[in-house]
Amino acid sequence: MSGLDWLPRTRSGILTMAKEQIAYTTTERRTAWGIPSERFLEYGTAFGAAQAALTKVENTAERNHVDTVACNEAFDTLKGIMRFFKNHYYLIPPLTKIDWAELGFREPDDHPTPVPAPTDVPMVTPSYYGGPHLVLVTLGPLLGTQAPDPRSDYGFALYVGIMPQGGATLEQAASVKHYLMETPKDGEGLKHYLFTCRARELVVFDAVESGMTAYFCARYENRKGWTGTWGPVSSIVIP
């Protein structure tokens, strides 16, 4: 098995896997596998933070853009720790194949198939979702291109930027939101929003951003985290 094959695609699946791994990694096993207590504590803390963040954003009546960003960051942290544990501690040996199965991994593949770098180009199509500050983005291959290779085009790295009318002031550009001073030519000037394997994602903006223009750009990412070519930039006025 190679790349990110073992990591669930959904957030609920990630939480389930993390919970099962934490429960299985007992004190006795941590000692046998050489897992420092402080590292294991980091894993538990990241799991709790991601679980709480997801619960908060699922309450759509109170969810806002800050909660969405915080949830994305919490899951990025949790996934990073899960990958670290697999690459440093959950190894055979000292683990057995039974241990691997209990931790949610597949049996190791002694002859893995190489995963190619992404070669296709995605496009982002934004549309109104029917409520204020909400934009639905549809992700897929650029029209006229071939169908994506599921091995290399595993998912989408979505980037978002926001530009006030007439462009941001220096103060706005230097803020934590990094508002845009001019129209972006590609995704380099945009902030990473999330990685997703889904064809649709709902983007929630702040109320003060109503009337500003949101710019989107994406590129394919394979199971190893390698990214492909930027797709075209698309835009929509935030309702």
Side-chain angles (χ1 to χ4, degrees), residues 161-175 177-184 208-209 211-215:
I162 305 169
M163 189 171 72
Q165 295 183 14
T169 63
L170 290 175
E171 183 178 2
Q172 289 175 316
S175 70
K177 299 301 289 289
H178 298 293
Y179 290 114
L180 302 173
M181 300 180 70
E182 57 184 18
T183 303
V208 296
E209 293 166 345
M212 297 184 185
T213 301
Y215 292 91

Side-chain angles (χ1 to χ4, degrees), residues 166-238:
T169 63
L170 290 175
E171 183 178 2
Q172 289 175 316
S175 70
V176 293
K177 299 301 289 289
H178 298 293
Y179 290 114
L180 302 173
M181 300 180 70
E182 57 184 18
T183 303
K185 296 181 175 60
D186 55 32
E188 292 295 341
L190 308 182
K191 292 182 63 177
H192 181 264
Y193 185 73
L194 57 75
F195 171 83
T196 181
C197 294
R198 301 194 301 179
R200 292 184 176 184
E201 287 288 348
L202 182 63
V203 181
V204 184
F205 295 94
D206 292 340
V208 296
E209 293 166 345
S210 178
M212 297 184 185
T213 301
Y215 292 91
F216 301 91
C217 193
R219 53 188 177 183
Y220 280 113
E221 186 173 312
N222 70 7
R223 295 178 185 271
K224 295 182 178 180
W226 299 346
T227 53
T229 303
W230 287 113
V233 176
S234 58
S235 64
I236 193 171
V237 176
I238 301 171

Side-chain angles (χ1 to χ4, degrees), residues 7-77:
L7 194 63
R9 293 191 177 190
T10 66
R11 286 176 171 175
S12 61
I14 291 171
L15 290 177
T16 298
M17 183 181 216
K19 182 178 181 179
E20 292 175 349
Q21 290 185 352
I22 291 170
Y24 189 75
T25 310
T26 60
T27 301
E28 182 180 359
R29 292 188 176 107
R30 293 201 300 271
T31 301
W33 299 343
I35 302 176
S37 297
E38 59 272 19
R39 281 292 189 181
F40 187 70
L41 180 61
E42 289 178 5
Y43 193 170
T45 300
F47 165 75
Q51 187 176 49
L54 182 60
T55 299
K56 193 169 185 179
V57 299
E58 285 180 338
N59 184 356
T60 56
E62 300 179 4
R63 181 180 62 187
N64 56 46
H65 178 65
V66 174
D67 294 335
T68 302
V69 172
C71 187
N72 293 337
E73 292 181 349
F75 272 88
D76 285 344
T77 298

